[in-house]
Amino acid sequence: AQNGSVRKRGPNILVTGTPGTGKTTTSSALAEATQLHHIIIGDLVKEKNLHDGWDDELDCYLINEDLVCDELEDLMEEGGNIVDYHGCDFFPERWFDRVVVLQTDNTVLYDRLSRRGYTGSKLSNNIECEIFQVLLQEAKESYPEDIVVALKSDTIEDISRNVASLTDWVGSWHPAS
Ligand code: ADP
Ligand code: MN
């Protein structure tokens, strides 16, 4: 409540989950429905060079968490953001009013990630991440229990339902509540 009181532009929502669970698809639709500002951390890291180079082993940029947090501080203080990232433990706890963890059945996720071109250990590591609910655990350890919500994201209908319920939540959000 005290955090929220300074968020002039609306609540901040973190949308997290294993790669392929639908964060970007869901966040884009939610941004369109609510006029909140969608921040794709992976894109921001590339555009503004907020990384320490490419990690050949993990096949991704080595994100510089301090640079990312510095870059976002002012925006997050204003509020009205949807942050889209497959990790959640390095953002300041005070930034978020809601933390959404998307979850997908692992056979469905396997097909999605294969279609995206993931193979070998990159594919199996992400499937394991989903099976062991790594992001849900991380979210529960990093944020107050009552703001963390796990949502199923197996089908297009799930996306519609999740976007509708989150849109309702945004509509009823009040800085002083
Ligand atoms: P993320 O941002 O979490 O990596 P994306 O939103 O990019 O995931 O989705 C990955 C792929 O899976 C896209 O092709 C998207 O259309 C599809 N997808 C994501 N969520 C769902 C869902 N709930 N139902 C059907 N397809 C989905
Ligand atoms: Mn994405």
Side-chain angles (χ1 to χ4, degrees):
Q2 260 177 340
N3 291 340
S5 64
V6 300
R7 299 211 228 286
K8 294 190 293 272
R9 300 193 184 188
N12 290 323
I13 302 173
L14 175 62
V15 178
T16 189
T18 305
T21 51
K23 298 180 297 296
T24 302
T25 310
T26 303
S27 301
S28 300
L30 183 61
E32 199 164 319
T34 58
Q35 303 304 310
L36 295 181
H37 176 216
H38 182 193
I39 301 169
I40 303 173
I41 296 294
D43 292 353
L44 184 78
V45 163
K46 263 183 274 176
E47 278 162 27
K48 305 228 163 178
N49 264 295
L50 310 176
H51 58 77
D52 302 316
W54 182 261
D55 187 319
D56 275 326
E57 206 162 314
L58 293 176
D59 196 29
C60 62
Y61 282 107
L62 264 174
I63 182 174
N64 184 312
E65 299 173 349
D66 293 335
L67 290 182
V68 169
C69 290
D70 288 349
E71 177 71 30
L72 291 177
E73 180 64 43
D74 291 350
L75 267 181
M76 297 306 290
E77 201 169 304
E78 283 180 5
N81 302 289
I82 302 167
V83 172
D84 168 346
Y85 192 58
H86 58 264
C88 64
D89 60 355
F90 64 91
F91 301 117
E93 184 183 336
R94 65 190 152 74
W95 275 5
F96 297 106
D97 303 293
R98 201 82 172 149
V99 175
V100 176
V101 182
L102 296 180
Q103 297 190 303
T104 300
D105 174 87
N106 56 70
T107 61
V108 174
L109 187 64
Y110 188 97
D111 291 342
R112 277 189 209 158
L113 291 178
S114 301
R115 234 177 288 135
R116 195 184 257 188
Y118 286 26
T119 55
S121 63
K122 189 166 185 176
L123 178 56
S124 55
N125 286 343
N126 280 305
I127 298 299
E128 247 178 57
C129 174
E130 188 61 8
I131 290 172
F132 291 109
Q133 302 196 312
V134 171
L135 267 309
L136 183 59
Q137 286 312 119
E138 191 174 315
K140 284 180 172 173
E141 282 162 18
S142 308
Y143 299 94
E145 194 176 22
D146 60 320
I147 75 162
V148 176
V149 55
L151 297 177
K152 187 164 78 80
S153 178
D154 290 346
T155 65
I156 296 296
E157 290 72 36
D158 290 334
I159 292 188
S160 306
R161 199 188 49 249
N162 293 340
V163 170
S165 75
L166 290 167
T167 301
D168 283 349
W169 180 84
V170 171
S172 63
W173 182 84
H174 190 276
S177 68

